[in-house]
Amino acid sequence: MTPELRQLIGELRADLVEDEPASLEYAHFGEGAAIDALPAGLPADLRDLLLVADGMRAGRVELASTSTLAGMQHHLDFAPDFSSIPEDRAGWLVVGTRSDEPIFMDRGTGAVWYFPPTGTEWFMSDAFEELAPDLGSFVDYYVLGPGYAELTPADDRWFAFLDEQGLLDEDEDEEP
């Protein structure tokens, strides 16, 4: 995770706290986890994110906290057979959700994957795609930037917050 992303998360967390309780309806960034609270064997990118924000809810995207991470792994059991998940379940980690649909991390490469909308439930989908080459890029572009609109079906309060913060300008941020 870049120092700029760490700083941005801290600044957005402060802005959200300043607007509580209203902001709790659409977003919440947990304080960084204590190092001894991190589960063993986490990929470095996820470890870094949890140390900065122990869980993030940003509109329709929710990234796991140290306390919710283990409970999200049940999604691996429902991955369609065509995806590489059933062949190597241990090689994947569910790091969050998008509108209650899982967001996966390839433990080997650190890339972030999802089942894009196809008009059917994710576990019956015939498409499985890489979203970002790493978790930091995913958070920067899809959670805190213009890519959020690509993941969600409609404008929501988080989208409006990103716009107010000037984070939706595609010229400044490039897709990963």
Side-chain angles (χ1 to χ4, degrees):
M1 177 178 302
T2 66
E4 294 82 14
L5 184 54
R6 279 189 183 100
Q7 181 179 348
L8 178 58
I9 291 170
E11 290 170 0
L12 294 177
R13 179 190 297 116
D15 290 345
L16 290 169
V17 167
E18 197 172 288
D19 195 32
E20 284 181 0
S23 65
L24 292 173
E25 292 182 26
Y26 61 89
H28 178 75
F29 293 7
E31 292 293 327
I35 193 114
D36 60 346
L38 296 175
L42 292 180
D45 280 359
L46 182 54
R47 247 178 101 75
D48 289 349
L49 180 61
L50 290 170
L51 289 171
V52 173
D54 190 11
M56 293 176 75
R57 184 173 45 83
R60 297 171 192 239
V61 176
E62 187 165 343
L63 298 178
S65 66
T66 54
S67 64
T68 62
L69 186 62
M72 290 184 158
Q73 302 316 303
H74 74 277
H75 288 97
L76 294 169
D77 296 333
F78 300 100
D81 290 339
F82 83 88
S83 72
S84 55
I85 294 172
E87 296 169 15
D88 181 21
R89 189 175 188 272
W92 293 90
L93 187 64
V94 178
V95 295
T97 58
R98 173 190 59 92
S99 299
D100 297 324
E101 295 184 358
I103 299 168
F104 300 88
M105 174 186 268
D106 180 329
R107 286 178 179 265
T109 66
V112 175
W113 290 69
Y114 82 133
F115 291 95
T118 60
T120 185
E121 297 290 335
W122 71 270
F123 50 84
M124 296 187 306
S125 179
D126 59 358
F128 187 51
E129 297 176 3
E130 182 176 318
L131 271 171
D134 57 68
L135 190 58
S137 298
F138 171 76
V139 171
D140 189 41
Y141 184 77
Y142 289 103
V143 180
L144 306 179
Y148 179 76
E150 296 171 30
L151 288 182
T152 60
D155 291 350
D156 59 15
R157 185 60 188 105
W158 178 249
F159 183 85
F161 177 79
L162 292 175
D163 192 31
E164 291 164 10
Q165 300 292 320
L167 296 172
L168 298 178
D169 185 4
E170 295 247 15
D171 294 335
E172 293 177 17
D173 295 307
E174 293 182 23
E175 185 173 350

